[in-house]
């Protein structure tokens, strides 16, 4: 516990069985608030404070499709994720149907704004969020387009701010910050770092997030949902079981509707009940998951935040003023190219495709890429190709630039020779220009332009009952219908 020991040698609830000299993990669960609706508000500021419904399979003026996400204002009218659009319209009519001259028209104050899903745009914003997370944590697990775990133990600690190294368990300190739920008794360095992550997401990506901080994954996930929207909840070591105990079993990470019903039949209504339940009986009713859920409810979760699978690409992006001149843009791309090449070398991987991204205001995304005859590790070549591709945007106003290497090879193979590189360049360059830029420009190799390629490869799920890493069937942590992983 950051060098501290439990009072009287007792093991504190939620502290686990790890070596007392080992630091407690600091895990952040980042959960974007009504992400699709937040993205729409980013490009349509007039939607701020309005009930917003984003529909999948929905077209303007139609009543077919299903709700992908509903803003908190729309939820006050009973609209929820995965609800048929026809049902949502009964609860919350469209604003365009509110005619002040028609006595039978709905009251404008009881109407909402309906928009179709624009997944390309949401993935672009998600890429900006991902860039922040990548910069703030070396160990990450992306669960979906709007949800991720970060292990930031190497960036911060549970020490109380200004305490000279004591931890949140060492004694009473300042009261928890306004809006923070749970039994935190002092402001910790971990809280400050989580606030830094949260503020950077809103500042750089323009969308709000709720963050939960705890010594394990399941408690951090519950904490992120405890004070939505725009929440920050910190649960220090030794406080996890107390924090979870009064919550309904549905809030325990991994308990879905079917398990919740089974537990209720056993007289188990709260996380505290589940923690204290006979685990042999739980195993009889729920199999191996029963005791595991009981341990999580008691604050015991020793899972590590581990990325799953290897990335498909490595990229780095940087915002810059739209007044940036050619020299500034080239300096930016050179720096990005060096960083991406360094990261590839650090990970021990080769790459076969080198690309850039140029985002024109407001959100027009252009990508260009060139493929080599085979995989290489050559930082100078990354810079050379990236700068060459940038030439097309010398006279273009851009708000962001990015460099990417893809078609990664983690095998121990020899590098390809560069013979034939010029021919490959010419073919790819012609293919790029022929396809234009916005949203989905591709090169001839088929590798260069989908926005999903600009974030490191897709993770798998946690394997919990819901199938989306949490507590509600077919939804992400914020009650948003899932449209695919954050890939």
């Amino acid at each position: 516990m950051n060098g501290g020991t439990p009072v009287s040698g007792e093991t504190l609830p939620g502290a686990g069985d790890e070596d007392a000299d080992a630091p407690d993990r600091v895990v952040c669960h980042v959960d974007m608030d009504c992400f699709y609706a937040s993205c729409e508000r980013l490009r349509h500021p007039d939607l701020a404070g309005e009930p917003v419904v984003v529909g999948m399979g929905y077209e303007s003026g139609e009543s077919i499709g299903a709700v992908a996400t509903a803003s908190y204002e729309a939820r006050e009218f009973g609209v929820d994720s995965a609800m048929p659009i026809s049902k949502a319209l009964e609860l919350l009519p469209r604003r365009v149907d509110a005619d002040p001259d028609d006595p039978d028209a709905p009251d404008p104050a009881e109407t909402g704004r309906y928009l179709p899903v624009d997944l390309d745009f949401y993935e672009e914003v998600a890429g900006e969020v991902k860039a922040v997370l990548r910069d703030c944590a070396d160990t990450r697990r992306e669960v979906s387009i709007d949800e991720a775990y970060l292990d930031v133990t190497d960036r911060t600690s549970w020490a109380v701010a200004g305490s000279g190294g004591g931890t949140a368990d060492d004694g009473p300190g300042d009261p928890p910050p306004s809006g923070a739920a749970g039994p935190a008794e002092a402001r910790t360095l971990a809280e400050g770092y989580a606030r830094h992550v949260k503020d950077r997401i809103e500042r750089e990506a323009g969308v709000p997030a709720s963050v939960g901080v705890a010594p394990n994954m399941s408690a951090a996930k519950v904490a992120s949902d405890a004070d939505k929207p725009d929440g920050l909840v910190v649960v220090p070591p030794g406080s996890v079981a107390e924090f979870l105990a009064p919550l309904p079993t549905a809030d325990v990470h991994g308990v879905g509707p079917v398990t919740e019903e089974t537990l209720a039949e056993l007289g188990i209504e709260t996380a505290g009940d589940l923690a204290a339940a006979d685990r042999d009986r739980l195993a009889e009713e729920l199999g191996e998951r029963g005791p595991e859920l009981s341990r999580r409810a008691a604050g015991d979760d020793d899972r590590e935040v581990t990325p799953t699978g290897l990335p498909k690409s490595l990229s780095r992006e940087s915002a810059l003023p739209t007044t940036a001149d050619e020299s500034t843009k080239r300096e930016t791309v050179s720096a990005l190219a060096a960083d991406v090449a360094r990261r590839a070398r650090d990970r021990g991987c080769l790459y076969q495709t080198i690309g850039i991204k140029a985002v024109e205001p407001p959100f027009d995304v252009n990508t260009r890429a060139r493929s080599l005859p085979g995989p290489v590790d050559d930082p100078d070549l990354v810079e050379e190709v990236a700068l060459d591709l940038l030439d097309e945007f010398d006279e273009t106003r851009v708000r962001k630039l990015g460099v990417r290497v893809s078609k990664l090879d983690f095998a121990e193979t020899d590098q390809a020779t560069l013979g034939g590189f010029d021919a490959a360049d010419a073919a790819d360059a012609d293919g790029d220009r022929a396809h234009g830029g916005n949203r989905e420009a591709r090169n001839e190799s088929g590798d260069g332009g989908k926005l999903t390629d600009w974030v490191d490869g897709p993770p798998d799920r946690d394997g919990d009952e819901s199938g989306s890493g949490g507590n509600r069937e077919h939804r992400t942590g914020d009650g948003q219908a899932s449209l695919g992983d954050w890939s």
Side-chain angles (χ1 to χ4, degrees), residues 61-277:
E62 300 293 333
S63 60
I64 60 174
V67 176
T69 193
S71 70
Y72 286 96
E73 296 85 356
R75 294 180 192 186
E76 293 179 1
F77 291 86
V79 179
D80 203 357
S81 301
M83 177 181 289
I85 291 292
S86 57
K87 175 63 175 179
L89 287 169
E90 294 176 5
L91 300 170
L92 182 70
R94 274 184 285 252
R95 178 66 50 82
V96 295
D97 295 332
D99 183 354
D101 297 326
D102 183 354
D104 297 324
D107 182 344
E110 298 179 354
T111 61
R113 305 279 288 275
Y114 284 75
L115 299 165
V117 162
D118 184 353
L119 192 56
D120 282 349
F121 177 61
Y122 307 155
E123 287 172 339
E124 166 64 14
V125 179
E128 298 191 4
V129 175
K130 178 79 176 297
V132 172
L133 301 185
R134 187 166 52 235
D135 197 44
C136 290
D138 295 322
T139 305
R140 306 171 305 278
R141 180 182 179 89
E142 290 83 28
V143 179
S144 67
I145 194 172
D146 64 341
E147 182 182 3
Y149 293 94
L150 315 178
D151 187 330
V152 294
T153 310
D154 59 344
R155 304 287 186 102
T156 185
S157 75
W158 288 108
V160 176
S163 69
T167 70
D169 290 329
D170 289 339
D174 296 333
S178 175
E185 295 181 345
R187 295 176 186 268
T188 62
L189 297 178
E191 177 193 333
Y193 193 78
R195 190 175 298 281
H196 164 73
V197 174
K198 184 178 184 304
D199 290 346
R200 276 195 62 182
I201 291 172
E202 184 149 16
R203 182 173 65 251
E204 298 179 29
V207 288
S210 290
V211 179
V213 191
N216 63 56
M217 290 177 65
S218 55
K221 180 172 177 62
V222 176
S224 70
D225 200 40
D227 193 36
K228 276 185 166 289
D230 200 25
L232 174 59
V233 175
V234 182
V235 186
S239 301
V240 178
E242 179 185 353
F243 167 71
L244 295 172
L247 301 177
T249 57
D251 287 352
V252 175
H253 187 204
V255 176
V258 175
T259 300
E260 180 187 8
E261 183 177 344
T262 300
L263 292 174
E265 293 172 354
L266 298 175
I268 299 172
E269 302 286 350
T270 68
D273 296 339
L274 181 56

Side-chain angles (χ1 to χ4, degrees), residues 438-482:
N438 294 348
R439 299 286 178 213
E440 207 162 68
R442 300 172 182 265
N443 66 15
E444 196 169 84
S445 69
D447 189 296
K450 293 191 297 180
L451 295 175
T452 50
D453 289 342
W454 280 88
V455 287
D456 295 349
D460 61 9
R461 298 295 189 180
D462 279 351
D464 290 318
E465 179 180 281
S466 66
S468 51
N471 305 330
R472 294 293 184 269
E473 199 165 9
H474 306 306
R475 304 183 192 176
T476 63
D478 193 36
Q480 177 167 278
S482 175

Side-chain angles (χ1 to χ4, degrees), residues 39 179 219 257 296-297 316 320 329 332 342 353 400 468 474:
C39 290
R296 289 188 188 179
R316 192 67 187 266
L320 66 168
K329 288 188 283 189
T332 300
R342 176 191 59 77
T353 299
K400 176 173 287 191
S468 51
H474 306 306

Side-chain angles (χ1 to χ4, degrees), residues 295-476:
R295 285 190 289 269
R296 289 188 188 179
D300 181 8
D301 179 6
D302 61 1
R303 294 176 300 160
E304 295 183 2
V305 178
T306 54
T308 55
L310 296 172
K312 295 182 295 185
S313 65
L314 296 171
S315 63
R316 192 67 187 266
E317 304 177 9
S318 178
L320 66 168
T322 55
T323 56
D325 58 17
E326 179 183 350
S327 176
T328 300
K329 288 188 283 189
R330 292 182 68 82
E331 290 175 2
T332 300
V333 165
S334 291
L336 295 173
D339 185 72
V340 168
R342 176 191 59 77
R343 289 174 56 210
R345 181 167 290 179
D346 288 346
R347 295 189 180 206
C349 67
L350 309 180
Y351 37 85
Q352 191 170 349
T353 299
I354 300 166
I356 69 166
K357 176 166 74 171
V359 182
E360 299 178 62
F363 291 103
D364 290 334
V365 181
N366 303 272
T367 63
R368 301 291 184 268
R370 290 182 185 171
S371 291
L372 314 181
V376 301
D377 170 15
D378 190 335
D380 291 339
L381 184 61
V382 176
E383 180 181 19
E384 176 186 340
V385 172
L387 289 174
D388 193 31
L389 294 171
L390 181 66
D391 288 344
E392 181 180 341
F393 302 96
D394 283 348
E395 306 300 324
T396 304
R397 294 171 62 242
V398 296
R399 61 179 291 267
K400 176 173 287 191
L401 290 169
V403 174
R404 180 192 65 173
V405 294
S406 58
K407 298 191 76 171
L408 303 184
D409 183 354
F410 289 86
E412 295 182 359
T413 57
D414 293 333
Q415 294 191 58
T417 63
L418 294 184
F421 175 61
D422 292 340
D425 282 353
D428 285 337
D430 290 343
D432 281 344
R433 294 188 179 94
H435 282 83
N438 294 348
R439 299 286 178 213
E440 207 162 68
R442 300 172 182 265
N443 66 15
E444 196 169 84
S445 69
D447 189 296
K450 293 191 297 180
L451 295 175
T452 50
D453 289 342
W454 280 88
V455 287
D456 295 349
D460 61 9
R461 298 295 189 180
D462 279 351
D464 290 318
E465 179 180 281
S466 66
S468 51
N471 305 330
R472 294 293 184 269
E473 199 165 9
H474 306 306
R475 304 183 192 176
T476 63

